[in-house]
Amino acid sequence: MDVRPVGPEALLVDLDGLAAVDAVGAALRDALTRGELPGVVDVVPAARTVLVTAPGAREALPAVRALLERIDTTAPRGDRDAGSVELPVHYDGEDLELVARDAGCSVDEVVELHTGATLTVAFGGFAPGFAYLAGLPEALQQPRLDTPRPRIPSGSVGVAGEFGGVYPRTSPGGWRLLGRLADDAPTLFDPDRDPPALLVPGTTVRFRDAGST
């Protein structure tokens, strides 16, 4: 693991995958809660890094490095359960046939693969309420579109690389779209809710076929 200052108020830990991010992020959050990281304000995981924000980043560096030396990044963690969410989906996405073709299967089989998977929120990003979902079946792990769309409707369900996701608001995007959330799906982001994001790290997510409309 490599940790280095990035600007005057943050440290960046470079890692080699989601399992290591999970272990390091959890250990840093636990240490922060116990008051063992003076000066540290927040811990923000991503796909291959963990950002540690601290007004005096260089002063916090020795304590963070000492903690990292004690972390076993290969040990599985079973204590990050943040509940479960089921999301109903109308599978009528613009890229459904493209995903099926590249997966070498039928559209119905794509739906079966997606609804049969148990995904976990690895981290958030891109937009408020957007969650990167890990655990996609290998056949659905496909590249982003060569040319992003200028407008992806809110509630669109897609895949990109090793992650699944749902657009919480209308925005540009290059994910391959499988469908869209049904009208009775829970709200992904509500600033008046605590926490505002429905899908927080550790949340288990299942998709349900809501049929056609």
Side-chain angles (χ1 to χ4, degrees):
M1 287 181 286
D2 178 42
V3 57
R4 52 190 168 83
V6 285
E9 297 189 355
L11 304 170
L12 192 68
V13 185
D14 292 309
L15 300 160
D16 60 4
L18 286 175
V21 166
D22 185 36
V24 169
L28 287 170
R29 287 192 297 270
D30 290 346
L32 179 60
T33 300
R34 294 192 300 267
E36 297 175 3
L37 298 175
V40 173
V41 175
D42 199 6
V43 176
V44 185
R48 299 290 184 272
T49 61
V50 176
L51 183 73
V52 180
T53 58
R58 292 187 182 277
E59 288 75 14
L61 185 56
V64 172
R65 279 184 170 155
L67 177 64
L68 294 177
E69 291 175 357
R70 304 195 301 267
I71 299 174
D72 179 5
T73 60
T74 65
R77 290 186 54 85
D79 58 348
R80 202 177 62 136
D81 181 16
S84 60
V85 173
E86 182 181 81
L87 297 176
V89 179
H90 298 300
Y91 285 94
D92 55 4
E94 296 178 58
D95 303 309
L96 191 55
E97 292 186 0
L98 170 64
V99 171
R101 185 187 68 204
D102 286 359
C105 62
S106 68
V107 165
D108 287 344
E109 288 171 325
V110 168
V111 175
E112 290 175 3
L113 285 170
H114 197 245
T115 56
T118 298
L119 307 181
T120 303
V121 178
F123 56 95
F126 172 64
F130 189 92
Y132 288 80
L133 307 177
L136 275 181
E138 186 175 353
L140 301 186
Q141 296 182 23
Q142 300 187 11
R144 288 173 169 80
L145 299 173
D146 293 335
T147 303
R149 294 184 173 96
R151 186 180 185 278
I152 302 294
S154 172
S156 294
V157 177
V159 295
E162 62 185 300
F163 298 111
V166 185
Y167 286 78
R169 58 187 297 180
T170 299
S171 63
W175 290 44
R176 297 188 178 196
L177 304 181
L178 303 181
R180 53 193 167 84
L181 293 183
D183 291 342
D184 59 344
T187 302
L188 296 180
F189 185 79
D190 181 353
D192 296 324
R193 186 173 57 198
D194 185 20
L198 176 69
L199 306 180
V200 299
T203 304
T204 298
V205 180
R206 295 292 301 267
F207 292 98
R208 172 174 56 84
D209 186 1
S212 58
T213 58

